[in-house]
Amino acid sequence: MAQQTTLGSSITPTPGNLFRQDRSQYRKDEEDVQSIKDGLFPPPRTVKDARSLSNASMFGPRGASLATSGAAPGSFSSNMKTMTAPRHVGSRPELTTFPSREDILSVEIGASEQRQAEFRDKINKEMKIKTGSENLLEALLSKGSKQTKDQRMRVETELNSSNRKIAELKSKLEEEVERSKRPTTPSQTSQNRLSALFRGSPLRSPSRTDALSEVDNVEPNPELESPTFVLAETLQALEVEGMQPDYYVSRANGLVELFKRHPTLKYDLAWSIFGIRVQTMLLSDSREVVAAGYRVTRHAIADRKSLQTVRNLHTDSLVILSLVKESKATIEREQAMKFIRAFLDIKDGVKELSNAVVRTVVSVAEHSEDRLRNIAILTLTEILVKDPSLVSKAGGIAPLTDALGDGSYPGSESLVCAFLYLTDAPKLRQILVSGRELEAPFSGFTDPLVSHGHEERLKVSARSVASILNTWPGLFALSRRGFSTLRSLLLSLFHPEPFARDLILDLLFDVLHIKPPSWTSSFLAGRRLTTYGRVTVLKPDQMEQQWHIESEDDANRVNLIDQYTALVLAVLVHCGLIKILSDLVEEASDPSLKRKTILLLGEVLKMANYALPSALSSDLQVLPTIMRSPFQYMEDDDCGLSLNMIYQIDSVNRTLHRTGATKRSINSPLGESQDSATNTRPNDSSRPKLNVDMDEISFRSLLVETQVVSTVNYLKWKWDLIVDIIEGPLLNPKRLDEAIKGTKFLKRLIGFYRPFKYRFSEARNTKPNQRYVRIGCLLLKCLLQTTEGVQYLTESKLLRQLAECLAQLDKTSGLISTTPLFAADRVLETLTGGYFNLLGTLSSDPQGLVMLGRWRMINMFYHIIDLSERGDLVQLLLGNMDFTIDSHLRVLLSKALTSCPKNIRIYSTKLLRKYANREDKQGTTSDVAYWAIRLLVTQLYDPDVEVSEVAVQVLQEACNRHQYLEYVVKCRPALDHLGEIGAPLLLRFLSTSLGYKYLDGLDYITQEMDDWFLGRNEKYVTLVEASLSRALSHQAERPKSMVDEPVQRQHLGIVPPHFYRELTRTKEGCKLLKDSGHFEEFVSTIQESWSEDEDEETMLKVKGCLWAVGNVGSMELGAPFLEYTNVVTWIIKIVEQSEVMTMRGTAFFVLGLISRSLHGMEILAEHGWDAATNQNGQSLGYCLPPSLDVLFSVQLTTSDKRMPNMHQTFERVPPARDLRDTGAARVVSLVIDLGNTVLTKRAFGELHGIRTNHPALFRSVAVFRQVMHIFECHRFRLPIMRFVIDMFDKDVMRQIVLDDDSDDDILDTYETEFQPTAATLPAAS
């Protein structure tokens, strides 16, 4: 069977990338044992003290890599450590090998990825330490300053250390990422390192090093050596008999390295000679030699034909014998498993795997104590995707289901993906035995006896459940019997198991894509909600990102994740989620569990209100299980609990609204949290505002109350009151003049920020201390609003001292300081970087710009951005400046965009995002946006593609507004040099008549239309599926850089731009679409092939047509195409009747797209489908059928269990004469009895007796073949297989491999000696 492509829509993983995450999961552990697995340790030589010299030198310097180069075909990773051999055996040092250039590069790439992962782990750890220190410091600040002074100093020291470590780690991570992106070539340094590694390897014993000749020590030169000569010489050397095992292992390793250096050599192998050498090694008594034989054979495999040749060497029998050996034969068993996995890396190689080999792998997977169990499960999972019938015939479905159910397999997501792949299409569903395999992970939660004491396994099961619920096949598989499995999971919340309860609630948060607010941990700990508004302050970059997301045109952002989440929410509500959560709040005794349930219930109600149709959500908001009639309340003793729960839910919702702390996945009305997100200080409605026109006496009393005029210790000042005064009375020029001339309030407040006072500049850079930066910005903004304030600020020493500190960075100023204020460590550890926030406040006002020019700070800015070694300072400067006003700062940004290093150019390009999307207060377009767009168009021609890609993304966002889109078109950017990167921006040009004419003049439209019609529609399906797969996967891929994260995360789950959708935005485009007849072709394909469930190419084409129809129907001008073709009826038919689950999912998404247009929503309403709308009556793109039973009516089981005939390794070969009355027949009968647990003990005893009295029977090839045939056709446990095979003489396998037919004489000799007795006769059937 050829490698199958995915049948799924967006949420179904494809076989090609099914195990990518799972392989990477074991990669790190594989490196720990790779030297043992691939190096193939020979027996060591010992010295007088009985300790192996090689064992003493086995471990190199710390941090040295012990892994061999390159991942060979069939390589796998294990999360289990290699078992050491018994002491009398000794350690086995690894033989050195000679990596090729390609292997050196692969080792360097793998090492780079490992270093990046280590850096990220360290950063996460330090971030947790930083967060804990900030929370502790915040708590200490709320107490008395005298009692907690020492503690605060220690916490600030720890926080300072964490900040410094985080900055260093981030810098190293960025450097490592940049280094990995650069093309690498084997340099002289790497060659020297390679020479040193293999000439003086610490893993090679001294005796072996001395014994090697000079020829062996010379590194082979790939350009000078003759591969055929080396191959012939090595094969001739392997002919020598009677040598030590390390002799054969070293030659085998040399062959492996030869195949790596010359990959084409294996295509010209003379298997008649090479096969004999391999057979000799595989029949050796040394485990290391056998392992070396497997390894060299694995590297010699080139194609399916070579696999057939290898199997003719009787390798199936040898592999089975190796796998059933005891765990002490670690190297041999691991190499045998690698040899099996090599079949999976060859096209159609899985067809060459015999049923006997797969059954042996199944036995290993069933043995819970076997070290290779996880690898066997992974191998069976991959075979299950490539050839499901082979695994089913070998009985491999049951151990995979058990591994999925007990949570012992760490890579459970790969198992889930394999079963989801089989569940998708009816043809593959025949492979599943019961059809309930995906319900296995739920057993850990529904059975309280199983869940108790198995926390780690429950976590694995929770990941599996999340993976199931995030896919169409999984959701359909759980729909049987009215979603009884989901109902059982929800009812498990009432089991008295705290950890399982908490895990189920976390699972619901994850499945519904609810991101808990930042104050969740404090809320669960029991703190009051009224205190959160003071500490929940968004960072500037977070505010800009949230403002950007909320201000985009909703018509251009179709989030499929939201649509799928709305359906999952409807299913959970159908299963009684609201009632169960309400009852749990009333019955739970744990306060933390009760608060978490209240938080989840409030979020669920809010999501239901926005995402579900009003007919479904209206009844939920009143909480009918809690709200009773007044007479019931009078008679109910628990009414207080119900009222308390309603009060807490309302309190949580008000806090969420006030702090704007949650970023909803489901689209909420614009402006709900926009105001709170853009304020520098959360709006606390409980604090009354001070009157601007306050009288003098009250004003003076307030100044005294702040403690500013009475002490210079800023820790004693009441900063909350200072903020109220700045935002209130100080805006009055009279009160401001009084504060300047009549008191020391403003003098001391400004003096606190003066650099050389060393108060603000020496304060630690902690989260609580960030309020000083915000208050300083508020103070400068207040002073800039009045003439008196401007004059006072101009004459103060603050700006003069700031200019002097900036001059220390300017090499042309002549000012030098040994400890400059803006040194890198001080910017990181103290609030010194906050001075750029103050300068940014000045840059937002014309008077402030005058002040900056007066002290020549702008000239210093020009010199600062030239400091290539201070990228942190350049980003700090550019990120805080306000470029709204046309001034020299815009020239400064233009210079940064063109002449600075790449990371600064990318950062500067991202800064233009908030200006390119800006509008005036009246909602009109802004000149600032036009200026930003011009700069972005210039960035399209940057020599670095990454900069151009960021500029394209920002321009796409700006094009969501019609006026800005037309302005971009007027700039006439040339995007041909960007290829696929610039294609989405060109598609956006079709949205306007001006852009249509521009592209039509370039002859772009007709060429692009033909391209999409002939193949791009199918590629679009793959693009959407990949986006949804990443967005819904439990373990999302991490970005390569922290800087790239905001840009990448925005597009996950978002419908990519579609040519036909953009084309139907204009009347000219609709006319072209109608004249081309493409839409009619799409409809015809859907009508003719909607029921296809086997041909993958046809199904992919139907999906492409569905997406094209949906994108056209989502536009108001394109909706009439739906009506005259009546295509909606066919799409609904697919949703309700298609046998392919992911085809139904694709059609469901398409109906959501159609519901976004008013005309499309009316057509769906005629068919009974209800769409969710916002407060303005606009569709959100979520529509549901009149009943969930209509959507989830699919037959998941089938009675057809016929399996194709598998290729058998051991045909049933009868001996020369009838064996019904001989000892051979009795041996075969007893082996069959070993499969019966009732007869196992008796069969063991009888086999021991026969082995003792008649050993010749266990030297018979015919008997051995019959026993192996039984193992191939029936299920046996691994210890039983090992017991039976160990009873046979080792020469039997030699006779089979070498085709020695001298077996009949053995039976003739001993047949007469064996006289059956009553104890040895077969039991009557």
Side-chain angles (χ1 to χ4, degrees):
M1 179 184 298
Q3 185 174 355
Q4 302 182 31
T5 57
T6 181
L7 297 178
S9 81
S10 48
I11 308 179
T12 300
T14 60
N17 63 2
L18 184 59
F19 306 98
R20 192 169 300 139
Q21 292 182 352
D22 201 66
R23 289 176 183 239
S24 62
Q25 178 180 356
Y26 296 101
R27 187 174 300 156
K28 182 177 180 181
D29 295 320
E30 182 185 7
E31 293 175 359
D32 298 336
V33 298
Q34 186 71 25
S35 58
I36 299 178
K37 291 189 287 186
D38 278 348
L40 308 177
F41 296 144
R45 300 183 60 178
T46 57
V47 291
K48 293 182 180 181
D49 60 353
R51 290 183 297 179
S52 172
L53 292 177
S54 58
N55 191 31
S57 63
M58 183 173 179
F59 299 95
R62 184 172 181 176
S65 174
L66 304 182
T68 57
S69 61
S75 297
F76 62 87
S77 315
S78 173
N79 63 344
M80 300 165 289
K81 302 298 180 184
T82 303
M83 297 180 60
T84 57
R87 293 185 179 181
H88 66 276
V89 177
S91 60
R92 299 187 294 265
E94 179 186 6
L95 290 185
T96 57
T97 54
F98 301 96
S100 62
R101 291 183 177 180
E102 293 80 3
D103 301 323
I104 297 172
L105 296 179
S106 62
V107 167
E108 291 179 353
I109 295 174
S112 177
E113 293 177 353
Q114 182 180 3
R115 287 193 295 268
Q116 294 178 32
E118 292 175 354
F119 285 143
R120 291 191 177 99
D121 292 339
K122 292 179 181 179
I123 290 174
N124 292 334
K125 181 179 179 181
E126 292 297 332
M127 289 297 294
K128 293 179 181 179
I129 296 176
K130 177 183 177 182
T131 304
S133 302
E134 289 177 346
N135 293 337
L136 179 58
L137 186 59
E138 177 188 343
L140 294 176
L141 288 175
S142 62
K143 300 181 180 180
S145 58
K146 294 182 179 180
Q147 294 83 356
T148 61
K149 182 177 180 181
D150 295 338
Q151 296 181 7
R152 285 203 314 271
M153 292 180 62
R154 289 196 296 269
V155 174
E156 287 179 353
T157 303
E158 182 66 27
L159 188 58
N160 181 23
S161 176
S162 298
N163 289 329
R164 184 171 59 253
K165 291 180 180 178
I166 291 172
E168 293 175 356
L169 291 172
K170 286 184 178 180
S171 176
K172 293 180 180 179
L173 177 60
E174 294 293 338
E175 292 176 359
E176 187 62 38
V177 171
E178 292 296 329
R179 187 184 301 113
S180 64
K181 292 180 180 179
R182 292 194 294 265
T184 57
T185 55
S187 60
Q188 185 66 29
T189 304
S190 63
Q191 295 293 336
N192 294 338
R193 183 175 67 251
L194 191 65
S195 303
L197 175 63
F198 289 104
R199 287 200 183 104
S201 173
L203 303 181
R204 180 182 295 170
S205 62
S207 58
R208 175 61 183 158
T209 304
D210 297 336
L212 291 176
S213 62
E214 294 183 359
V215 178
D216 293 333
N217 281 331
V218 176
E219 295 184 14
N221 190 340
E223 298 179 358
L224 300 179
E225 68 178 354
S226 173
T228 55
F229 175 79
V230 176
L231 176 62
E233 188 179 50
T234 307
L235 292 178
Q236 185 177 1
L238 289 174
E239 267 188 79
V240 181
E241 298 181 358
M243 302 298 291
Q244 294 294 325
D246 57 347
Y247 172 85
Y248 301 104
V249 172
S250 61
R251 269 61 184 179
N253 288 342
L255 279 179
V256 170
E257 299 307 320
L258 183 66
F259 289 141
K260 289 182 178 181
R261 292 194 299 272
H262 305 280
T264 59
L265 182 62
K266 54 189 175 183
Y267 292 96
D268 301 325
L269 273 179
W271 280 96
S272 58
I273 302 175
F274 183 80
I276 295 176
R277 304 293 177 266
V278 169
Q279 286 180 325
T280 305
M281 295 183 68
L282 294 180
L283 291 172
S284 173
D285 294 333
S286 172
R287 298 167 185 160
E288 289 78 15
V289 176
V290 176
Y294 284 126
R295 183 170 181 245
V296 70
T297 308
R298 171 164 53 91
H299 283 271
I301 295 174
D303 49 22
R304 186 178 177 182
K305 184 178 180 180
S306 61
L307 285 178
Q308 296 171 351
T309 305
V310 168
R311 290 196 62 215
N312 291 332
L313 302 176
H314 301 282
T315 54
D316 289 352
S317 305
L318 295 168
V319 166
I320 294 174
L321 263 64
S322 297
L323 288 179
V324 300
K325 289 184 178 180
E326 296 181 355
S327 58
K328 61 182 180 181
T330 302
I331 299 177
E332 180 180 345
R333 299 180 75 229
E334 288 181 351
Q335 289 297 327
M337 187 66 74
K338 278 189 173 184
F339 176 75
I340 296 174
R341 291 179 58 82
F343 283 62
L344 305 179
D345 294 333
I346 303 298
K347 183 179 180 181
D348 296 334
V350 69
K351 295 182 178 181
E352 298 301 325
L353 284 174
S354 66
N355 193 32
V357 173
V358 178
R359 275 199 180 273
T360 308
V361 178
V362 170
S363 299
V364 176
E366 290 176 334
H367 194 51
S368 59
E369 298 179 358
D370 198 292
R371 290 186 60 257
L372 297 183
R373 177 176 182 263
N374 286 356
I375 309 305
I377 292 175
L378 177 62
T379 304
L380 288 177
T381 307
E382 296 190 29
I383 299 175
L384 182 63
V385 175
K386 294 177 178 291
D387 192 352
S389 58
L390 179 59
V391 178
S392 179
K393 179 70 174 179
I397 300 294
L400 294 181
T401 306
D402 294 339
L404 186 62
D406 59 21
S408 59
Y409 179 58
S412 60
E413 289 87 350
S414 63
L415 271 176
V416 171
C417 292
F419 283 120
L420 290 172
Y421 173 69
L422 297 183
T423 310
D424 186 28
K427 181 180 179 181
L428 296 176
R429 283 200 291 271
Q430 300 175 7
I431 304 299
L432 300 178
V433 179
S434 64
R436 295 180 174 86
E437 285 77 8
L438 288 174
E439 299 177 4
F442 292 83
S443 60
F445 298 99
T446 56
D447 189 353
L449 298 178
V450 176
S451 61
H452 181 70
H454 297 85
E455 287 79 7
E456 292 301 325
R457 293 189 176 185
L458 280 180
K459 290 181 180 179
V460 174
S461 298
R463 295 201 303 268
S464 302
V465 172
S467 300
I468 294 172
L469 288 174
N470 282 331
T471 58
W472 284 111
L475 201 58
F476 278 100
L478 299 178
S479 65
R480 64 172 74 241
R481 300 185 305 277
F483 296 97
S484 60
T485 307
L486 277 179
R487 295 179 189 272
S488 301
L489 177 67
L490 296 178
L491 291 174
S492 301
L493 287 169
F494 296 103
H495 290 170
E497 185 62 36
F499 184 81
R501 284 178 163 187
D502 191 69
L503 202 58
I504 293 175
L505 292 178
D506 290 336
L507 176 63
L508 293 175
F509 274 104
D510 185 19
V511 169
L512 294 176
H513 299 90
I514 299 174
K515 182 180 178 182
S518 58
W519 42 262
T520 299
S521 58
S522 301
F523 171 63
L524 297 181
R527 291 183 56 191
R528 293 178 58 192
L529 289 174
T530 54
T531 62
Y532 302 149
R534 303 173 189 172
V535 298
T536 307
V537 179
L538 299 178
K539 296 181 179 180
D541 55 346
Q542 294 174 339
M543 293 190 302
E544 293 170 7
Q545 182 181 352
Q546 183 171 355
W547 171 85
H548 154 67
I549 292 176
E550 292 178 350
S551 63
E552 285 185 346
D553 184 10
D554 288 341
N556 293 320
R557 288 183 58 89
V558 183
N559 196 331
L560 300 179
I561 302 300
D562 293 349
Q563 185 179 353
Y564 185 80
T565 306
L567 177 62
V568 175
L569 176 62
V571 171
L572 292 175
V573 170
H574 176 72
C575 295
L577 176 64
I578 303 296
K579 183 180 184 303
I580 291 174
L581 292 180
S582 302
D583 295 342
L584 183 61
V585 173
E586 295 181 350
E587 298 179 11
S589 57
D590 186 4
S592 178
L593 177 65
K594 182 177 294 187
R595 295 189 189 98
K596 194 170 189 176
T597 308
I598 289 174
L599 181 61
L600 177 60
L601 182 57
E603 291 283 357
V604 168
L605 291 176
K606 186 179 294 184
M607 289 179 62
N609 183 36
Y610 294 137
L612 299 183
S614 57
L616 182 60
S617 63
S618 57
D619 296 336
L620 302 177
Q621 303 301 322
V622 297
L623 295 175
T625 59
I626 300 176
M627 299 298 295
R628 308 178 183 92
S629 64
F631 299 102
Q632 290 177 320
Y633 270 119
M634 295 174 60
E635 299 175 358
D636 194 353
D637 296 334
D638 296 333
C639 63
L641 294 176
S642 300
L643 294 176
N644 183 35
M645 182 179 67
I646 295 173
Y647 170 77
Q648 293 190 25
I649 294 175
D650 180 67
S651 179
V652 168
N653 288 333
R654 283 188 283 106
T655 305
L656 289 171
H657 178 74
R658 183 175 67 250
T659 60
T662 56
K663 175 184 175 295
R664 303 206 54 79
S665 175
I666 299 296
N667 290 339
S668 57
L670 293 179
E672 179 185 357
S673 60
Q674 183 175 357
D675 295 337
S676 60
T678 53
N679 287 336
T680 57
R681 191 169 67 104
N683 182 20
D684 193 352
S685 58
S686 62
R687 296 177 57 86
K689 296 293 183 179
L690 296 180
N691 188 9
V692 177
D693 299 327
M694 182 179 296
D695 60 273
E696 181 179 354
I697 298 177
S698 301
F699 179 66
R700 284 183 174 272
S701 64
L702 283 176
L703 297 183
V704 173
E705 187 178 352
T706 60
Q707 302 293 325
V708 176
V709 296
S710 58
T711 177
V712 296
N713 187 357
Y714 67 92
L715 296 177
K716 297 182 179 181
W717 294 354
K718 295 183 179 180
W719 289 96
D720 291 338
L721 184 56
I722 293 174
V723 172
D724 293 335
I725 293 175
I726 292 174
E727 294 180 341
L730 283 187
L731 296 176
N732 189 334
K734 188 174 181 180
R735 299 282 83 86
L736 177 61
D737 184 69
E738 184 178 345
I740 295 174
K741 299 179 180 179
T743 65
K744 295 182 179 180
F745 176 79
L746 208 57
K747 179 180 178 181
R748 286 188 174 176
L749 199 57
I750 291 292
F752 167 72
Y753 290 98
R754 283 166 53 185
F756 298 145
K757 287 286 187 179
Y758 298 107
R759 296 177 185 173
F760 175 81
S761 58
E762 289 296 324
R764 294 299 177 184
N765 185 14
T766 62
K767 185 177 180 180
N769 286 350
Q770 287 295 323
R771 61 177 178 175
Y772 302 140
V773 180
R774 296 191 295 272
I775 294 174
C777 294
L778 287 175
L779 179 61
L780 294 185
K781 189 178 296 184
C782 174
L783 294 176
L784 290 173
Q785 293 182 9
T786 59
T787 306
E788 294 81 0
V790 172
Q791 183 179 359
Y792 179 78
L793 190 59
T794 304
E795 296 174 355
S796 68
K797 297 180 181 179
L798 174 62
L799 298 183
R800 181 172 59 187
Q801 292 183 6
L802 272 178
E804 184 176 347
C805 295
L806 289 174
Q808 297 172 359
L809 302 173
D810 188 357
K811 299 179 181 179
T812 62
S813 65
L815 294 180
I816 300 176
S817 175
T818 56
T819 57
L821 182 71
F822 293 105
D825 54 342
R826 299 190 64 173
V827 172
L828 177 65
E829 299 171 1
T830 66
L831 293 182
T832 304
Y835 282 117
F836 288 98
N837 296 72
L838 303 183
L839 295 175
T841 302
L842 293 177
S843 67
S844 62
D845 189 272
Q847 296 292 339
L849 289 173
V850 173
M851 298 179 192
L852 294 178
R854 177 186 178 187
W855 295 105
R856 301 184 180 278
M857 293 188 190
I858 295 181
N859 293 342
M860 301 174 192
F861 292 164
Y862 280 107
H863 297 146
I864 289 176
I865 65 172
D866 291 332
L867 301 177
S868 58
E869 70 279 1
R870 292 302 306 274
D872 59 327
L873 205 62
V874 177
Q875 293 187 12
L876 200 60
L877 170 63
L878 297 175
N880 287 282
M881 291 297 108
D882 192 333
F883 302 98
T884 305
I885 302 176
D886 189 3
S887 62
H888 276 284
L889 294 178
R890 291 191 178 183
V891 182
L892 181 74
L893 181 61
S894 300
K895 180 180 179 181
L897 288 168
T898 54
S899 61
C900 286
K902 185 183 71 174
N903 61 328
I904 301 299
R905 300 202 309 273
I906 293 177
Y907 181 82
S908 304
T909 306
K910 292 178 181 179
L911 284 179
L912 294 173
R913 174 180 285 111
K914 63 179 180 180
Y915 299 103
N917 292 277
R918 176 166 296 187
E919 291 182 353
D920 290 338
K921 296 181 179 179
Q922 295 79 12
T924 59
T925 57
S926 173
D927 293 336
V928 180
Y930 293 149
W931 161 78
I933 289 174
R934 289 194 297 270
L935 290 181
L936 288 169
V937 171
T938 305
Q939 292 303 98
L940 295 175
Y941 310 108
D942 192 277
D944 200 298
V945 179
E946 294 183 23
V947 180
S948 302
E949 185 175 3
V950 174
V952 169
Q953 293 172 352
V954 178
L955 283 175
Q956 279 186 262
E957 298 163 5
C959 290
N960 289 332
R961 292 180 174 83
H962 182 77
Q963 298 87 343
Y964 297 159
L965 173 58
E966 289 191 345
Y967 187 77
V968 174
V969 175
K970 291 179 180 178
C971 294
R972 303 178 67 86
L975 300 174
D976 296 341
H977 64 288
L978 295 179
E980 291 294 330
I981 296 176
L985 186 58
L986 287 175
L987 288 181
R988 298 305 302 272
F989 289 178
L990 291 174
S991 304
T992 63
S993 299
L994 182 63
Y996 182 90
K997 295 177 181 177
Y998 170 64
L999 295 178
D1000 190 30
L1002 299 176
D1003 198 21
Y1004 169 83
I1005 298 178
T1006 55
Q1007 295 180 6
E1008 194 73 5
M1009 175 177 278
D1010 294 339
D1011 191 13
W1012 277 80
F1013 183 74
L1014 297 176
R1016 287 284 290 278
N1017 271 329
E1018 287 75 12
K1019 295 181 180 179
Y1020 183 85
V1021 175
T1022 306
L1023 182 62
V1024 175
E1025 289 176 357
S1027 176
L1028 272 172
S1029 179
R1030 281 194 59 192
L1032 289 174
S1033 61
H1034 182 72
Q1035 295 179 344
E1037 298 179 16
R1038 307 184 70 170
K1040 294 182 179 180
S1041 171
M1042 300 295 182
V1043 179
D1044 297 336
E1045 184 174 5
V1047 177
Q1048 292 184 356
R1049 298 295 299 179
Q1050 292 173 8
H1051 300 281
L1052 291 183
I1054 303 298
V1055 176
H1058 197 284
F1059 174 80
Y1060 290 99
R1061 184 185 184 195
E1062 304 300 326
L1063 189 65
T1064 51
R1065 289 179 181 271
T1066 60
K1067 295 181 180 180
E1068 297 89 345
C1070 291
K1071 184 178 183 303
L1072 179 62
L1073 178 61
K1074 185 176 181 179
D1075 295 340
S1076 65
H1078 288 183
F1079 192 86
E1080 289 77 6
E1081 290 290 337
F1082 297 148
V1083 175
S1084 176
T1085 302
I1086 294 173
Q1087 293 175 350
E1088 294 175 358
S1089 308
W1090 70 271
S1091 60
E1092 179 63 43
D1093 57 9
E1094 293 187 4
D1095 189 2
E1096 297 175 359
E1097 293 184 2
T1098 303
M1099 289 189 291
L1100 184 63
K1101 187 175 182 180
V1102 172
K1103 289 179 183 178
C1105 295
L1106 285 174
W1107 283 114
V1109 170
N1111 278 280
V1112 171
S1114 64
M1115 297 288 99
E1116 293 294 342
L1117 294 178
F1121 287 92
L1122 304 174
E1123 188 170 6
Y1124 80 84
T1125 56
N1126 198 26
V1127 69
V1128 176
T1129 304
W1130 290 93
I1131 297 176
I1132 294 178
K1133 190 174 183 179
I1134 294 175
V1135 172
E1136 297 177 354
Q1137 301 181 18
S1138 177
E1139 290 296 325
V1140 182
M1141 299 180 185
T1142 48
M1143 183 68 75
R1144 289 194 180 196
T1146 303
F1148 179 80
F1149 285 139
V1150 169
L1151 290 179
L1153 283 176
I1154 292 175
S1155 68
R1156 296 186 69 86
S1157 64
L1158 181 60
H1159 199 170
M1161 189 165 55
E1162 293 175 353
I1163 296 176
L1164 289 174
E1166 295 175 358
H1167 291 81
W1169 284 64
D1170 195 3
T1173 58
N1174 59 15
Q1175 297 175 352
N1176 299 326
Q1178 298 174 347
S1179 173
L1180 298 176
Y1182 321 138
C1183 60
L1184 293 176
S1187 173
L1188 291 179
D1189 296 335
V1190 175
L1191 179 61
F1192 293 100
S1193 59
V1194 61
Q1195 185 69 23
L1196 297 177
T1197 57
T1198 177
S1199 58
D1200 186 8
K1201 298 296 181 182
R1202 293 175 297 175
M1203 295 295 170
N1205 294 327
M1206 298 293 108
H1207 177 72
Q1208 296 183 350
T1209 303
F1210 304 97
E1211 302 294 340
R1212 194 177 188 279
V1213 182
R1217 52 182 57 86
D1218 190 8
L1219 300 180
R1220 288 177 296 176
D1221 297 327
T1222 64
R1226 185 56 183 162
V1227 170
V1228 173
S1229 176
L1230 291 174
V1231 171
I1232 295 176
D1233 291 343
L1234 289 176
N1236 189 334
T1237 55
V1238 178
L1239 305 176
T1240 300
K1241 186 175 181 180
R1242 180 180 63 84
F1244 270 129
E1246 293 190 24
L1247 282 175
H1248 270 296
I1250 296 176
R1251 178 71 173 83
T1252 303
N1253 298 327
H1254 307 282
L1257 289 174
F1258 294 92
R1259 293 196 295 270
S1260 170
V1261 175
V1263 175
F1264 183 81
R1265 288 182 182 275
Q1266 287 194 7
V1267 170
M1268 297 302 292
H1269 176 75
I1270 293 173
F1271 287 163
E1272 182 175 13
C1273 299
H1274 302 280
R1275 173 184 173 274
F1276 287 88
R1277 293 186 295 113
L1278 190 65
I1280 293 178
M1281 297 179 65
R1282 181 185 306 127
F1283 167 76
V1284 173
I1285 293 178
D1286 287 345
M1287 295 186 69
F1288 283 88
D1289 194 278
K1290 295 182 179 180
D1291 290 336
V1292 173
M1293 181 54 62
R1294 182 178 296 275
Q1295 295 176 28
I1296 294 176
V1297 173
L1298 301 179
D1299 295 327
D1300 185 4
D1301 297 331
S1302 60
D1303 182 59
D1304 291 340
D1305 296 336
I1306 296 177
L1307 287 179
D1308 290 338
T1309 303
Y1310 289 93
E1311 190 178 77
T1312 56
E1313 298 180 4
F1314 183 84
Q1315 299 297 331
T1317 62
T1320 59
L1321 287 175
S1325 56

